[in-house]
Each structure stands twice: as structure tokens, then as C-alpha cells.
Amino acid sequence: DGELDVQGTKVFESLYNLPTAIKARTALEDSRTYSAIHSNLPQGGACGRSTIDSPDAWCAKKEDETRWVTIDLGVAASVAGIVTQPRAEACGCDQRVTKYTVATSLDGETFTDVDGGSEVVGNTEGGNAKTTRLFAAPVTNTRYVRITIAAYNEHPSMRVDVVLASEVPDALGDVSVAGKFILNGVDLTDKLLA
């Protein structure tokens, strides 16, 4: 009752409504490293803030071939997916990541591709909508999560966070999802919010 089963996977409405302590840990800007920031701007300032709902975004250097952000969870954990958000609307632009890949690491040096390195569909629309994408199976015992931009609209910019396996609720809650919910490339937003 209240569950939706898609391809053998149970998905839940309140996926990105994370406990405050978890938000505080993964939302810290200093828990992130970047391949580079546009115009060599400092981390934490304009174009150097990738946390969800931050007032801007991480804006990569457009000329870089490899554009990535790595999130350090602080401890080994099981990661179930990624949530992305376009650059904040205040910029007056439509900058967003439309495809990305994910890799994880326990030591921060050796990374293993998630889901065989396949590209994940990111934000297909501008604005502040969040798009949550679960992996085929949670990645266990990992501390570092690297999101690499594969395609983008206008400029490679994004806000991003991880979804820990422990954060996927056991049942549908009364909380609505802000944005879209995508599982295995299928937009389930209307089904979840019906």
C-alpha cells in the first residue's frame, strides 16, 4: 500500500526529503572538490557552490575536457543515487547538466564506474527542479562520489548531491517531491505524485 514497484525496484515519494543531519553533512561545500571552476573563481563563491539549493552552482571551465565534482561523504556508506539541479535561475540563464556519469571510491584515488559507466540523464528542463536518479543497485562501502559531466545546455553548470541507501524511505510519506523523479531513464513524477 502506497508503494510503486518499477522493474522490481520499489520507489518512494519522499526520496529527497533527507534528515537534517544528513543534509548538513553532504551539503557542506568544503566536502567537495572540483576539476576546475569557471574563470578560476574561488570555491564557495559565485560559480563555486554545487550544493542543492545553493544560490548559484558549480560552473566548470567550458574548455576542460574532463569536468567533475567529487563529494567526500566523510565515512564509508552505501550510495543509492544522485540528485541534480540546474544553475540557480538568478543567473538569467538555462545552464544545466543533461547527462553525467558517476564513479565511486573508498580511498579517493581509485574510482570505479557506477552502472558500467553508462551516462545518466540529468536535468532535461531548466529552472530549480531537482532530478533524482537511482542506480541499478546501491554502491556499498564507498566514501567518495565523483560526478563527471557528459553533456550540458549552454554551460556545464550544476548543483548536485548524493542519495544514501539509508535515506530511501521504507514507505511513501506525506511529503511531495520538489522536481522530477527518474528511475532507469523513466520519468515517474506523475505516477508518484498522483
Side-chain angles (χ1 to χ4, degrees):
D1 186 55
E3 296 179 351
L4 174 65
D5 191 276
V6 179
Q7 299 175 359
T9 304
K10 291 181 179 170
V11 292
F12 306 96
E13 181 177 351
S14 57
L15 183 63
Y16 192 66
N17 296 289
L18 310 179
T20 302
I22 295 168
K23 279 186 183 178
R25 187 198 68 237
T26 60
L28 293 174
E29 187 58 49
D30 62 3
S31 70
R32 296 152 189 259
T33 55
Y34 303 103
S35 54
I37 298 174
H38 179 69
S39 298
N40 296 317
L41 292 167
Q43 184 168 344
C47 291
R49 296 179 279 203
S50 65
T51 57
I52 293 294
D53 293 326
S54 73
D56 202 309
W58 163 56
C59 309
K61 283 189 172 181
K62 200 170 191 175
E63 61 274 10
D64 283 358
E65 290 186 28
T66 304
R67 304 170 195 101
W68 52 259
V69 55
T70 300
I71 300 173
D72 179 357
L73 302 175
V75 296
S78 293
V79 178
I82 300 293
V83 60
T84 60
Q85 190 177 26
R87 186 173 179 186
E89 291 177 313
C91 76
C93 56
D94 185 17
Q95 297 178 6
R96 56 192 152 87
V97 171
T98 57
K99 290 185 180 178
Y100 60 91
T101 59
V102 181
T104 59
S105 173
L106 187 57
D107 62 9
E109 300 291 326
T110 304
F111 285 82
T112 303
D113 291 334
V114 174
D115 293 344
S118 61
E119 290 183 352
V120 179
V121 176
N123 295 91
T124 58
E125 299 174 11
N128 283 318
K130 298 174 185 86
T131 300
T132 302
R133 172 72 162 80
L134 294 180
F135 305 143
V139 177
T140 59
N141 198 33
T142 193
R143 176 174 170 175
Y144 300 89
V145 181
R146 178 169 288 171
I147 299 94
T148 302
I149 298 172
Y152 59 88
N153 187 69
E154 289 187 10
H155 189 91
S157 302
M158 71 187 315
R159 295 176 283 176
V160 63
D161 211 338
V162 300
V163 177
L164 299 179
S166 61
E167 296 164 355
V168 179
D170 292 331
L172 283 171
D174 294 325
V175 186
S176 64
V177 172
K180 294 191 176 285
F181 186 89
I182 298 175
L183 178 65
N184 297 327
V186 178
D187 187 345
L188 302 173
T189 307
D190 292 339
K191 292 178 184 175
L192 286 170
L193 299 178

